[in-house]
Amino acid sequence: MAQTRIAVVGSGIAGLTAGWLMSKKHHVTLLEKGPSLGMAQHGVDAGTAQGDKVVDVPLRVFNKSYYPNLFLLCQNLNIDLRMVDHGGAFGYLNGDLYFRYENIAIGGKNYSYVLPKMKQLPWLLKVGWEILRLRRDMKEFLERDDCDEVRLAKFFEDFKYSRAFQYEFFFPILSSVCTCSYSALMEYPAGILIHGMQTLMETTPTQRFIGGTRALQANLAKSIQNVRYDSHVVRIEPSPKGAVVHYRDGVQEEYDHVILATQANQAREVLDVSYEEERSLLERIIYQTSDMIVHRDERLMPGPARKWSPVYYGISSQYDWPMATIWINKVEPGFEEGEPLFQTWNPLIPPDEDKVLGRTTFERPVVSLDSLKAVNRLANLQKDSLDKRHIWFCGSYGTPAIPLLESGLVSAVQLGEHFGVAKPSWFVEPSR
Ligand SMILES: Cc1cc2nc3c(=O)[nH]c(=O)nc-3n(C[C@H](O)[C@H](O)[C@H](O)COP(=O)(O)OP(=O)(O)OC[C@H]3O[C@@H](n4cnc5c(N)ncnc54)[C@H](O)[C@@H]3O)c2cc1C
């Protein structure tokens, strides 16, 4: 295939990966509406003893089991990773802890254990056996032929888990991983979430990029021929030879192909009505909105500092979501000393605004049995794109998995073959 002019809209993990890959063979223009690359656009400056340092927002973590390609990409680009302790505590919003586990790293593996604490005994007696049998039940469930065709609720019905197990353990964790409500989790295709939980519980340690997400995005962007910021795309319409991109300032440009690497709802918004089928498929991918704050308000943590863990899930039966807080000083180098610093997703306890350093509203796709069908159909439609449509889609919503960095990366790599660009030699096909 001759070199073509490709516009990639959006510079999150999907757009950066698509741009990095396609630029090996084609001329790529990466268009980002924000003032900097999208993957690390929401970082917040926080004071430390050594001056201001940037806290990644969200503070993304991953493990090798669920993110094999992200690991291999980092290895390939010489981006170093470090293990982080993501030991967790669970409590009610009044500050009472009911469960806490710690992690220990031995020989590059991570093992979780529970310290015997009298106060946790009643909860452990109620739910401990269910936590112990979870691995076995998940394995059995994933062997079922219908595991990808039923909702998560079916798993709990069939394996008879208590309400306490669901709402005080399983949901707070997965709701934070998926950035969605408990009700939305119940609608998730069960196979996707059970497989996600299974791999999260493996002994492969939780990791972060050294240098934060900025390190990865800078590395991916440097080989892309043309990277443009403040390039807000407002409309894309078909043209006889490709597609025309319209910008907010009224300028327009024609490209041979356009890859939309934005969120699905953002992609739908800019597509001209002549892309009717794509628009109706993208509409079936539903989003939920929630807030993330970076702050120093200790009232959002359970009691005194000796009770804190790197991750704290605060729950209340009044809410359909947990509040999840990461204790930054415990997980980010450079913040070990000094005032406590936190990142809280979904602050159910209103913070003291004077102690808030930054606030961001995020939208996250929620996977359902119907959205999976739409994503599948969109992938099939793209097989026609080279000669007919000239419009392509990738993003974390674009594979049958939890929408995370890995799925954004995989969906971008999968586009390569349509453009005559081979998958990287290290690429691992998703296991399910
Ligand atoms: C609170 C929270 C915590 C998370 N934690 C983790 C984690 O620990 N690990 C993990 O793997 N994942 C995590 N994720 C998920 C992960 O961040 C996303 O899956 C991933 O960033 C999505 O990447 P993307 O490239 O698909 O989309 P995005 O990152 O959303 O990128 C889309 C880009 O397109 C740009 N854009 C949109 N519209 C236009 C337009 N019209 N013109 C030009 N540019 C446009 C946007 O500015 C943006 O930069 C978390 C998400 C949230 C919300």
Side-chain angles (χ1 to χ4, degrees):
M1 188 181 174
Q3 193 181 55
T4 51
R5 289 181 344 111
I6 301 173
V8 176
V9 184
S11 61
I13 182 77
L16 286 165
T17 308
W20 166 77
L21 196 64
M22 304 302 170
S23 61
K24 293 181 189 298
K25 206 160 177 186
H26 302 289
H27 187 277
V28 174
T29 302
L30 183 66
L31 303 167
E32 169 55 50
K33 71 175 175 184
S36 57
L37 292 173
M39 209 180 156
Q41 218 168 62
H42 305 289
V44 166
D45 282 340
T48 70
Q50 292 79 39
D52 271 6
K53 275 182 76 82
V54 181
V55 183
D56 270 348
V57 180
L59 198 88
R60 297 188 187 97
V61 293
F62 39 89
N63 73 9
K64 197 172 179 177
S65 310
Y66 203 67
Y67 299 76
N69 287 300
L70 188 62
F71 263 74
L72 292 165
L73 175 71
C74 290
Q75 217 170 54
N76 205 265
L77 298 177
N78 295 320
I79 292 176
D80 293 325
L81 305 175
R82 52 182 286 278
M83 281 198 225
V84 284
D85 176 6
H86 252 222
F90 297 70
Y92 304 108
L93 288 186
N94 64 6
D96 281 351
L97 284 187
Y98 56 85
F99 179 55
R100 182 174 175 177
Y101 68 89
E102 311 209 355
N103 291 328
I104 184 164
I106 304 173
K109 293 196 169 186
N110 180 64
Y111 298 92
S112 300
Y113 61 94
V114 178
L115 285 175
K117 292 251 168 71
M118 278 313 282
K119 275 192 115 178
Q120 294 182 20
L121 207 57
W123 190 85
L124 271 178
L125 286 174
K126 197 167 54 170
V127 170
W129 163 239
E130 292 176 294
I131 296 179
L132 287 176
R133 72 175 161 97
L134 181 60
R135 276 178 213 272
R136 187 199 64 196
D137 293 346
M138 290 193 298
K139 186 168 179 295
E140 188 183 321
F141 180 75
L142 290 173
E143 282 162 5
R144 278 168 49 168
D145 290 339
D146 68 346
C147 72
D148 287 319
E149 286 147 32
V150 295
R151 300 175 311 125
L152 181 68
K154 182 88 173 108
F155 172 79
F156 294 113
E157 276 161 37
D158 289 1
F159 289 88
K160 302 199 176 359
Y161 280 93
S162 66
R163 197 177 157 79
F165 173 87
Q166 293 175 49
Y167 286 86
E168 296 180 6
F169 176 71
F170 196 96
F171 289 174
I173 297 176
L174 273 186
S175 172
S176 309
V177 171
C178 301
T179 325
C180 73
S181 64
Y182 301 151
S183 323
L185 279 183
M186 283 298 216
E187 296 301 316
Y188 246 81
I192 288 182
L193 279 191
I194 296 298
H195 173 249
M197 189 68 170
Q198 190 187 45
T199 43
L200 286 173
M201 286 175 71
E202 283 179 16
T203 54
T204 46
T206 304
Q207 310 246 12
R208 294 238 325 118
F209 310 104
I210 293 182
T213 22
R214 279 152 292 134
L216 177 60
Q217 69 172 17
N219 215 318
L220 284 170
K222 72 182 180 204
S223 58
I224 301 174
Q225 290 90 348
N226 190 5
V227 178
R228 291 202 217 142
Y229 304 113
D230 300 314
S231 294
H232 194 150
V233 174
V234 289
R235 194 157 67 91
I236 298 172
E237 61 177 349
S239 69
K241 284 199 292 188
V244 176
V245 174
H246 295 258
Y247 300 96
R248 191 155 63 176
D249 58 9
V251 173
Q252 62 184 65
E253 282 176 318
E254 188 178 24
Y255 288 90
D256 299 321
H257 294 278
V258 176
I259 297 175
L260 271 162
T262 64
Q263 295 293 336
N265 53 354
Q266 297 166 331
R268 183 186 177 278
E269 218 169 87
V270 299
L271 283 182
D272 182 80
V273 286
S274 41
Y275 297 109
E276 196 187 337
E277 188 164 6
E278 287 88 342
R279 282 166 53 95
S280 66
L281 291 171
L282 291 165
E283 195 169 19
R284 286 163 58 188
I285 298 155
I286 305 299
Y287 281 77
Q288 279 193 339
T289 305
S290 52
D291 275 358
M292 172 77 96
I293 56 169
V294 176
H295 65 99
R296 297 193 189 275
D297 191 346
E298 297 181 21
R299 292 178 312 117
L300 275 68
M301 292 298 275
R306 67 185 154 74
K307 289 189 167 184
W308 300 350
S309 291
V311 185
Y312 169 57
Y313 304 97
I315 65 156
S316 156
S317 56
Q318 287 172 31
Y319 294 101
D320 196 25
W321 316 62
M323 169 174 84
T325 299
I326 297 178
W327 184 9
I328 302 286
N329 312 73
K330 283 286 166 194
V331 299
E332 272 300 86
F335 290 96
E336 296 90 344
E337 308 293 328
E339 267 187 274
L341 182 66
F342 312 103
Q343 187 168 117
T344 297
W345 169 62
N346 208 22
L348 296 177
I349 298 173
D352 175 348
E353 287 301 327
D354 290 342
K355 295 186 176 171
V356 175
L357 278 62
R359 183 186 288 272
T360 315
T361 300
F362 286 102
E363 277 192 308
R364 190 93 187 269
V366 175
V367 185
S368 66
L369 293 171
D370 183 61
S371 76
L372 266 193
K373 284 188 194 141
V375 164
N376 212 359
R377 173 79 195 113
L378 197 62
N380 285 332
L381 204 61
Q382 296 196 85
K383 292 182 184 146
D384 279 348
S385 272
L386 206 55
D387 302 326
K388 295 184 193 151
R389 288 181 157 84
H390 306 267
I391 188 97
W392 307 81
F393 303 90
C394 62
S396 60
Y397 67 89
T399 71
I402 301 176
L404 292 165
L405 294 176
E406 177 77 5
S407 48
L409 188 166
V410 168
S411 77
V413 169
Q414 285 172 341
L415 283 187
E417 59 191 332
H418 299 295
F419 291 84
V421 181
K423 288 176 181 158
S425 54
W426 44 260
F427 185 75
V428 179
E429 290 298 338
S431 60
R432 52 189 334 272

